[in-house]
């Protein structure tokens, strides 16, 4: 079973040379720490920076330089700042090649819910609806089950949707799964996790091929 | 000769703001927010205002200051997760809230300032956001019709500005400020540093002064950091 950094490490393998990548808040943010040396990748944060660097050294934080999670960051050489309309032109206009975001629920048809629990939690969708509506390549990073132990991979989402039929791949603490033809297709198992563990934790339809390799991390 | 937008300070800048008005406020989180104008709105005690702002500040800073005094009737935002008082007022029904996708919010402000009444976007199709909105397919993909936003006043914050109202923002403090500057009928720009005309290279201006009606240098800026994240120095 993977921890959050393990999930981020596995997702980093999805990133290809030359890609512009948007990382959501939470586990997705950790992906930046696991990109292999030598890969040319630029991170976009929707509040208005391309070429986002690591956290600043202590003492050199700048209140005017933050990421979409409101964390202090740095800008790498070649970075650029822009306004929010331009930022979403990059996203909506499909200039950003890979989007990684967290989710509360994902359905077997690729629907995603991650912005609201009616009557309980109202945080808002932020940029998530724009991202999932336009990105060609969306990877969801999340735990396979919620705190109550219930599956987050469902026949259909019970929470208000963020986007419809948009998620293509899910990476969890247990597995890598692709979504196609109305089902989750098991691609890889996390180290030490059996197909039966994954089956038990997946409420949506799960297609298991004859052989399911273990993740190479 | 440049048309001067200069006013004496925050008090003169905020003249004419009244109860029930719609106000736009730039900023993302606490980054690039018009701190001085927000404090003046608290002092003025205007009530029942509608605030269009990406976020709602934190409990005791930014727009959270207006929420504390129950001055806001309605918020139009994309993300309000950092503010417990906001969540309490919203869930109890005291505060009306319109949550809209961040890119749609930015574009609706831009459209409002650019004289475009509405536009189609794929964001929000199939979700609550699409309820009651016209749907149209382009290239086989469904889009929803989103209308432009304008406001009676827009409050923006820039790094540097001049008497003509030309503005330069710093780093990610730019965010929603340029679009809101365009969409306000009266746009009030507060700047960290007011510089003499001609000091800013015209090539480097982010917001042309035509979009700004009043400008002043803020007395002070706290520039509070919401999430201070650092890495240790190498030994």
């Amino acid at each position: 079973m993977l921890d959050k950094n393990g999930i981020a490490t596995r997702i980093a393998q999805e990133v290809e040379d030359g890609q512009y990548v948007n990382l959501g808040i939470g586990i997705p943010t950790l992906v930046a720490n696991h990109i292999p040396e030598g890969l040319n990748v630029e991170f976009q944060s929707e509040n208005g920076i391309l070429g986002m660097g690591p956290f600043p050294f202590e003492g050199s934080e700048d209140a005017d330089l933050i990421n979409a999670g409101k964390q202090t960051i740095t800008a790498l050489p070649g970075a650029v700042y822009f306004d929010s309309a331009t930022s979403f032109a990059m996203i909506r206009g499909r200039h950003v090649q890979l989007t990684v975001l967290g989710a509360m629920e994902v359905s077997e048809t690729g629907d995603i819910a991650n912005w609201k629990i009616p009557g309980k939690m109202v945080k808002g969708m932020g940029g998530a609806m724009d991202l999932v509506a336009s990105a060609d390549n969306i990877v969801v990073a999340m735990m396979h089950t919620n705190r109550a132990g219930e599956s987050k991979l469902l026949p259909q989402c019970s929470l208000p949707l963020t986007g419809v039929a948009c998620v293509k791949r899910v990476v969890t603490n247990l597995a890598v799964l692709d979504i196609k033809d109305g089902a989750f297709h098991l691609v890889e198992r996390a180290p030490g996790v059996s197909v039966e563990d994954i089956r038990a934790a997946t409420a949506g339809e799960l297609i298991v091929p004859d052989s399911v390799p273990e993740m190479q991390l | 000769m440049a048309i001067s937008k200069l006013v004496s300070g925050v008090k003169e800048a905020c003249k004419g703001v009244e109860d029930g008005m719609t106000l736009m406020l730039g900023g993302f989180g606490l980054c690039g927010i018009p701190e001085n104008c927000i404090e003046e709105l608290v002092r003025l005690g205007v009530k029942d205002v509608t605030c269009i702002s990406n976020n709602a500040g934190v409990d005791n800073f930014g727009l959270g200051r207006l929420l504390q005094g129950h001055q806001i009737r309605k918020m139009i935002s994309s993300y309000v997760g950092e503010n417990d008082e906001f969540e309490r007022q919203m869930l109890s029904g005291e505060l009306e809230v319109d949550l809209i996708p961040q890119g749609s919010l930015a574009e609706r402000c831009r459209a409002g300032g650019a004289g475009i009444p509405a536009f189609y976007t794929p964001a929000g199709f199939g979700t609550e956001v699409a309820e009651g909105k016209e749907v149209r397919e382009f290239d086989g993909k469904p889009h929803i019709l989103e209308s432009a936003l304008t406001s009676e006043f827009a409050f923006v914050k820039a790094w540097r500005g001049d008497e003509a109202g030309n503005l330069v923002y710093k780093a990610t403090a730019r965010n929603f400020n340029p679009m809101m500057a365009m969409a306000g009928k009266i746009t009030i720009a507060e700047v960290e540093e007011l510089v003499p005309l001609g000091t800013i290279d015209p090539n480097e201006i982010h917001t042309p002064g035509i979009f700004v009606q009043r400008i002043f240098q803020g007395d002070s800026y706290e520039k509070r950091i919401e999430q201070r994240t650092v890495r240790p120095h190498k030994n």
Side-chain angles (χ1 to χ4, degrees), chain A residues 95-117:
Chain A
H95 306 282
V96 174
Q97 281 94 13
L98 177 64
T99 291
V100 183
L101 76 175
M104 298 174 190
E105 296 176 348
V106 174
S107 84
E108 62 192 24
T109 54
D111 296 350
I112 175 172
N114 71 354
W115 72 283
K116 185 180 184 183
I117 303 174

Side-chain angles (χ1 to χ4, degrees), chain A residues 126 156 166 170 177:
Chain A
Q156 57 192 98
C166 52
V170 184
L177 308 103

